[in-house]
């Protein structure tokens, strides 16, 4: 209907769907409504829609990031980072870690400031020490930085990996797998040794020679068959 130029009719449909037919727990229609209003230049209404969703679902990740990005598009990168700071203070560590990573993305990829982006990670890593999302983004950020000094880059990435000591076993394993990929794809001459050590720590290690040797039970299982064959030959 919007493609036919009937903007007001489209708005009425969105409003009815959002206020009457679709529960607040299913915010997709409301998110599309907000984007529709932004497209028409009604950014204040779009913001109000996002805020209304968050009043009912304070931790809804897509809405939080959508609100931050409408702020970024119309008020600038720094305004979006400040808005995210407000919501980080109200959020638990899971959502807060995701929002901190979004701050970094805006500063790094939109504003182009690697130093400011890294500072966010450095200042917030204590608070979000148990957030897998935060540490995965932190590690990915450092891995993505171009380098000319291989040893310096390795030390920088390794320092991030080794700082994530408060993650759950599952979170630690996921982070280790990304670090191991870095070692193989961009590591130096000693990377394979470090990779194998991590692999043993994570997955255990069984000697191939030991695993290839038949067990005593296997030998015993084969013995009656051999004896029977000997009797048949006699």
């Amino acid at each position: 209907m919007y493609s036919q130029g009937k903007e007001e009719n489209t708005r009425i449909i969105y409003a009815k769907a959002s206020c009457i037919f679709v529960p607040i727990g299913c915010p997709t229609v409301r998110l599309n409504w907000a984007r529709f209003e932004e497209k028409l230049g009604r950014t204040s209404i779009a913001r109000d829609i996002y805020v209304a969703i968050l009043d009912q679902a304070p931790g809804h990740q897509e809405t939080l990031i959508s609100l931050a990005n409408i702020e970024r598009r119309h008020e600038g990168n720094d305004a979006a980072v400040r808005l995210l700071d407000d919501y980080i203070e109200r959020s638990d560590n899971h959502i807060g870690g995701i929002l901190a990573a979004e701050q970094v993305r805006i500063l790094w990829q939109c504003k182009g400031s690697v130093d400011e982006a890294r500072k966010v990670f450095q200042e917030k890593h204590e608070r979000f020490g148990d957030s897998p999302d935060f540490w995965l983004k932190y590690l990915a950020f450092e891995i993505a930085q171009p380098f000319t000094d291989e040893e310096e880059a390795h030390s920088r990435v390794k320092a991030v990996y080794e700082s994530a000591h408060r993650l759950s076993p599952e979170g630690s394993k996921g982070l280790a797998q990304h670090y191991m990929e870095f070692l193989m794809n961009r590591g130096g001459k000693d990377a394979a040794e470090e990779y194998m050590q991590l692999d043993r720590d994570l997955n255990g290690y069984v000697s191939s020679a030991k695993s290839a040797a038949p067990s005593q039970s296997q030998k015993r299982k084969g013995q009656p068959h051999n004896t029977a064959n000997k009797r048949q030959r006699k």
Side-chain angles (χ1 to χ4, degrees):
M1 184 169 289
Y2 172 64
S3 62
Q4 298 173 358
K6 298 180 179 179
E7 297 169 0
E8 191 57 36
N9 288 342
T10 303
R11 181 176 291 113
I12 291 170
I13 290 171
Y14 271 126
K16 284 185 176 180
S18 299
C19 300
I20 299 173
F21 299 109
V22 181
I24 194 70
C26 302
T28 302
V29 172
R30 291 170 175 81
L31 291 171
N32 287 332
W33 181 15
R35 291 160 188 150
F36 168 77
E37 297 292 358
E38 182 187 1
K39 180 178 176 63
L40 297 180
R42 297 159 64 101
T43 55
S44 61
I45 292 178
R47 286 190 185 93
D48 288 344
I49 294 169
Y50 290 133
V51 171
I53 296 172
L54 293 172
D55 284 343
Q56 299 297 319
H60 192 258
Q61 178 182 334
E62 185 179 358
T63 304
L64 287 163
I65 291 177
S66 295
L67 177 59
N69 277 286
I70 193 175
E71 192 76 3
R72 176 187 61 77
R73 288 190 291 272
H74 296 280
E75 301 298 331
N77 297 311
D78 292 334
V81 170
R82 288 193 297 271
L83 182 143
L84 285 167
D85 263 330
D86 291 340
Y87 281 96
I88 286 171
E89 291 303 314
R90 312 178 203 175
S91 302
D92 60 23
N93 277 10
H94 170 64
I95 296 298
I98 293 170
L99 298 183
E102 179 64 11
Q103 286 183 311
V104 170
R105 188 196 69 81
I106 291 170
L107 291 169
W108 172 32
Q109 297 181 350
C110 301
K111 189 176 181 179
S113 177
V114 173
D115 291 339
E116 287 184 76
R118 182 177 286 119
K119 186 178 179 181
V120 171
F121 278 133
Q122 291 172 341
E123 290 181 347
K124 290 183 166 63
H125 80 275
E126 286 292 341
R127 174 175 173 182
F128 300 117
D130 59 351
S131 169
D133 295 282
F134 179 88
W135 287 102
L136 285 170
K137 294 292 187 181
Y138 193 177
L139 189 71
F141 168 79
E142 293 295 357
I143 289 173
Q145 302 311 311
F147 64 85
T148 54
D149 187 333
E150 193 175 79
E151 290 187 7
E152 184 276 332
H154 181 195
S155 298
R156 178 165 38 80
V157 174
K158 185 175 183 178
V160 172
Y161 170 69
E162 291 183 338
S163 297
H165 48 77
R166 285 166 48 198
L167 290 175
S168 66
E170 183 180 355
S172 295
K173 188 170 185 177
L175 192 70
Q177 288 169 345
H178 285 273
Y179 178 60
M180 290 163 70
E181 288 178 13
F182 162 77
L183 290 174
M184 289 293 93
N185 294 334
R186 298 177 67 184
K189 61 183 180 180
D190 297 325
E193 181 180 355
E194 186 177 358
Y195 177 97
M196 293 304 296
Q197 181 60 52
L198 284 169
D199 189 44
R200 285 193 292 270
D201 293 343
L202 289 171
N203 304 312
Y205 176 74
V206 179
S207 166
S208 58
K210 185 176 179 180
S211 62
S215 65
Q216 291 298 321
S217 60
Q218 288 174 323
K219 290 180 180 178
R220 284 195 295 271
K221 285 180 181 178
Q223 192 170 0
H225 176 71
N226 293 337
T227 304
N229 288 341
K230 289 178 181 178
R231 288 174 181 170
Q232 288 176 0
R233 286 197 294 270
K234 288 180 180 180

